[in-house]
Amino acid sequence: MGTMDWELAVGGDVLFNGLEVIMKNKKSVFIYTREEEKELWEAIVHPAKAVSLRYIEEPQGESIGFAGDGMGFYTLSESVGAQTVPLYFYRRNGSLPTSEAPQPSPTVPNPLSPAFCEDQKTVSDCRELVTDTGCRWSRKAGRCSKARRCRNIRSEQSCKGVTKYFCAYSYKKTSRQVCTDFSNRCEVARSEGACEKNSGCQWNSGDCTLM
């Protein structure tokens, strides 16, 4: 049928209305716009040109799919020894393509770039976003930016999704957990009850230490 202008495809999906095709290899994500009268394969083979989307490479990142409403896409990697892996969402910037006015150059910002943290306009959106570093909300500046350390991250899902830092979501009090450096997961506890809830920790003479 033809060839594409890039190699080693590992995953792909078609937008619910058939007007976009998104594909990836292990290092990049590409999207094609399909004209309604064309066959699907015609939209992705030469001379069709792919638009490269910003994407942060994941370990064994081979899964990709559009969101059900088309307003972005998800990527997921294999575990590569990790207990959990984050499901990343890349939000569309702009409207969906239609048969009357297809979008020739779709743009989907990358949630792992600093710009994506900065795109979050509310405290909750900022703190809940899962990225390689997590995002932090500055009350003084009134904006969202990349977190530079574990203790800047507030939500459980964001803390556990971080891949750049070694973070742990540990008990500080028996009813309150915080994101902290993995090496500090015991010291953060302020009571015996909190200490005993943290993995690999023990309460000893008023301090929480590693077993």
Side-chain angles (χ1 to χ4, degrees):
M1 290 184 175
T3 59
M4 298 187 296
D5 54 2
W6 54 280
E7 299 179 334
L8 304 176
V10 296
D13 194 18
V14 180
L15 190 65
F16 67 87
N17 62 10
L19 297 180
E20 284 180 342
V21 181
I22 194 166
M23 302 179 72
K24 76 181 301 293
N25 56 25
K26 290 185 177 180
K27 295 182 179 294
S28 304
V29 169
F30 306 94
I31 195 164
Y32 297 86
T33 298
R34 171 182 167 265
E35 296 177 16
E36 197 169 24
E37 67 275 8
K38 287 188 175 181
E39 296 290 339
L40 183 62
W41 64 269
E42 292 181 286
I44 64 175
V45 300
H46 187 77
K49 295 293 184 181
V51 175
S52 180
L53 302 181
R54 289 179 291 164
Y55 167 72
I56 296 297
E57 186 178 350
E58 303 164 85
Q60 293 294 107
E62 298 183 357
S63 298
I64 189 168
F66 280 112
D69 61 3
M71 293 307 294
F73 66 89
Y74 294 91
T75 66
L76 186 68
S77 68
E78 296 180 10
S79 66
V80 195
Q83 292 184 347
T84 61
V85 291
L87 176 67
Y88 292 116
F89 177 62
Y90 296 70
R91 184 174 299 158
R92 181 188 294 272
N93 180 21
S95 58
L96 288 170
T98 67
S99 56
E100 291 78 20
Q103 302 292 314
S105 299
T107 57
V108 184
N110 177 5
L112 303 184
S113 70
F116 193 85
C117 286
E118 291 167 1
D119 283 345
Q120 308 309 304
K121 302 303 182 185
T122 68
V123 177
S124 58
D125 286 348
C126 178
R127 290 178 175 174
E128 294 296 327
L129 191 65
V130 177
T131 73
D132 62 337
T133 65
C135 299
R136 66 182 294 270
W137 181 266
S138 170
R139 292 188 181 278
K140 183 177 181 180
R143 62 183 176 85
C144 187
S145 61
K146 265 190 174 184
R148 298 187 180 276
R149 54 185 65 86
C150 298
R151 69 186 185 194
N152 293 147
I153 301 167
R154 295 298 183 89
S155 78
E156 179 178 3
Q157 67 174 11
S158 183
C159 182
K160 291 181 176 179
V162 166
T163 57
K164 187 171 182 179
Y165 316 128
F166 292 100
C167 298
Y169 199 63
S170 300
Y171 282 91
K172 182 175 183 178
K173 299 179 180 179
T174 53
S175 59
R176 180 190 173 197
Q177 287 176 274
V178 295
C179 191
T180 185
D181 293 332
F182 184 78
S183 60
N184 192 46
R185 68 189 187 279
C186 295
E187 288 84 345
V188 74
R190 294 289 182 265
S191 68
E192 183 175 1
C195 180
E196 291 175 348
K197 288 187 175 185
N198 292 335
S199 177
C201 301
Q202 64 180 357
W203 189 256
N204 184 18
S205 300
D207 291 314
C208 188
T209 60
L210 289 169
M211 289 182 177

